[in-house]
Amino acid sequence: MTADLENRCVAIIENLWHANPEEKPMGTSTVGSLEARMLGGLAMLFRWKALAKKAGIDIYSSTRPNLVMGSGYQICWEKFCRYWDIDMRLVPMDENHLSLDANAAVALCDDHTIGIVPILGIIYTGRYDDVKALDAAVEKYNKKAKVPVRIHVDGASGAMVAPFIEPKLEWDFRILNVWSISTSGHKYGLVYPGIGWIVWRSEKALPQELIFNVSYLDGTEATMAINFSRSASQIVGQYFVFMRNGFEGYKAIHQTALDVAQYPAKEIGKIGPFEMMGTAEEVPIICWHMKKGFDRKWTLYDLDDRLRIHGWQVPAYPLPENMQNVTV
């Protein structure tokens, strides 16, 4: 019954992300979005190996396969690249590009690129990368490439918000080169930790080498997750909140969260020393920094410390490389 509930949840998510049933999409639950990202990365790696061999590229040369993404990535992508010996090629963040620069990302691609990862809800600022603009740049690149590059959307935060709040925003399987999407069920999926989900747009997008058929649990089951033994409670919990809230319920909950977040964003923006960088326009995350040239004897780390004294956790941290001198 748990396996049946999992399949129902996958079908709901596939529908939410506009997967085409005729392409035979495939998906699975995972232990948090970390495992979902790992699976997305592995599928990209295995697809690249097969296509590179076919194109006559030496996959065993000293040139390592590479993965392209923006510098605002979550640390588990670094884990993936280190575990599987993949070169991380990062598009730096700057004042004019606080989300992924599509043209700069494609410029980093070559015959050893396994894929590009845009982020729907950057961990630092909450902003969405422009997946549609990236798709256009990728499509142009693929016309001349020996090995076509595909997109994995890291939607750990936004993939369970955008369908309800911005249904017309094109970032999912409506876009040609989006071949897989991962998300966290225990963030805006509203389930207790830890559960994640990943969906591939088609059978072609998920290499057969990653699918295992097991027959020792009273019937044959196909599995593509890394973990076997884990609690089923989160799957039951996910199905319950899907049924309990429905589309309109999720929309109301997320809209309320955004309304709540946008209020302090507006009020904090009025305070003299502060300048807003993220105002909860897409996910309920707000982000601000000290104005340039503001004469002060304290920093945002001091503000963090004072808020903690009163029981509030509002972390202060530097932006990624290239903007590490900016604390938010």
Side-chain angles (χ1 to χ4, degrees):
M1 192 63 215
T2 303
D4 182 58
L5 293 182
E6 179 184 25
N7 290 336
R8 294 185 190 193
C9 288
V10 168
I12 290 168
I13 293 168
E14 287 172 355
N15 184 57
L16 201 62
W17 294 343
H18 297 92
N20 182 354
E22 293 182 3
E23 292 189 72
K24 297 182 180 179
M26 303 183 73
T28 184
S29 67
T30 59
V31 180
S33 55
L34 184 151
E35 185 187 1
R37 292 178 177 111
M38 289 279 180
L39 288 170
L42 282 171
M44 286 189 282
L45 177 60
F46 275 65
R47 281 201 314 269
W48 172 79
K49 283 182 177 180
L51 291 171
K53 280 183 181 179
K54 194 174 180 180
I57 296 167
D58 183 5
I59 67 171
Y60 302 109
S61 69
S62 58
T63 303
R64 297 193 301 172
N66 63 77
L67 182 64
V68 177
M69 66 182 66
S71 60
Y73 65 90
Q74 215 272 357
I75 192 68
C76 56
W77 282 112
E78 195 169 331
K79 283 187 175 184
F80 167 75
C81 289
R82 191 175 301 179
Y83 291 167
W84 299 100
D85 198 26
I86 292 168
D87 182 24
M88 267 186 110
R89 293 189 176 177
L90 300 178
V91 180
M93 185 183 289
D94 59 46
E95 291 182 5
N96 297 319
H97 299 96
L98 294 175
S99 55
L100 184 67
D101 182 337
N103 292 323
V106 169
L108 293 175
C109 295
D110 58 26
D111 292 342
H112 287 77
T113 300
I114 67 171
I116 303 178
V117 180
I119 303 170
L120 211 67
I122 296 170
I123 193 166
Y124 293 91
T125 62
R127 296 190 180 199
Y128 290 172
D129 285 336
D130 190 340
V131 183
K132 192 171 183 180
L134 178 61
D135 176 71
V138 164
E139 188 65 16
K140 187 177 179 181
Y141 172 85
N142 284 345
K143 289 178 180 179
K144 299 180 181 178
K146 289 183 180 178
V147 179
V149 170
R150 306 300 181 188
I151 297 167
H152 171 87
V153 178
D154 179 353
S157 295
M160 291 299 290
V161 176
F164 305 103
I165 301 300
E166 299 180 81
K168 293 183 180 179
L169 179 67
E170 294 183 28
W171 62 272
D172 52 18
F173 294 122
R174 287 171 287 186
I175 291 178
L176 181 66
N177 289 295
V178 171
W179 276 35
S180 55
I181 301 170
S182 59
T183 194
S184 169
H186 62 235
K187 291 186 178 72
Y188 301 108
L190 309 181
V191 185
Y192 36 83
I195 188 169
W197 300 93
I198 181 167
V199 172
W200 290 270
R201 76 176 301 128
S202 66
E203 288 182 332
K204 185 179 177 182
L206 177 60
Q208 286 297 310
E209 300 97 310
L210 297 182
I211 302 174
F212 295 85
N213 291 295
V214 294
S215 57
Y216 53 78
L217 295 175
D218 190 25
T220 302
E221 282 286 337
T223 175
M224 64 280 293
I226 296 172
N227 287 281
F228 274 99
S229 300
R230 60 187 177 92
S231 171
S233 61
Q234 292 88 0
I235 293 172
V236 178
Q238 185 73 83
Y239 186 69
F240 172 78
V241 291
F242 277 163
M243 293 295 100
R244 174 66 180 85
N245 294 318
F247 187 93
E248 292 302 324
Y250 266 87
K251 181 178 179 180
I253 290 166
H254 291 332
Q255 188 59 60
T256 299
L258 283 166
D259 292 343
V260 169
Q262 286 167 3
Y263 174 76
K266 181 181 177 182
E267 296 303 312
I268 290 169
K270 296 177 183 177
I271 300 173
F274 303 141
E275 186 173 333
M276 300 305 299
M277 186 173 283
T279 55
E281 293 176 6
E282 290 156 328
V283 292
I285 294 173
I286 63 174
C287 171
W288 70 93
H289 61 93
M290 302 291 284
K291 287 180 179 177
K292 288 182 180 179
F294 185 80
D295 186 20
R296 76 264 186 199
K297 296 180 180 179
W298 53 275
T299 68
L300 289 181
Y301 294 107
D302 296 313
L303 178 60
D304 177 357
D305 180 63
R306 287 290 150 180
L307 288 169
R308 283 176 187 268
I309 289 173
H310 295 279
W312 293 90
Q313 283 190 303
V314 183
Y317 50 87
L319 289 178
E321 188 177 354
N322 210 45
M323 288 192 74
Q324 66 267 31
N325 61 325
V326 179
T327 300
V328 294

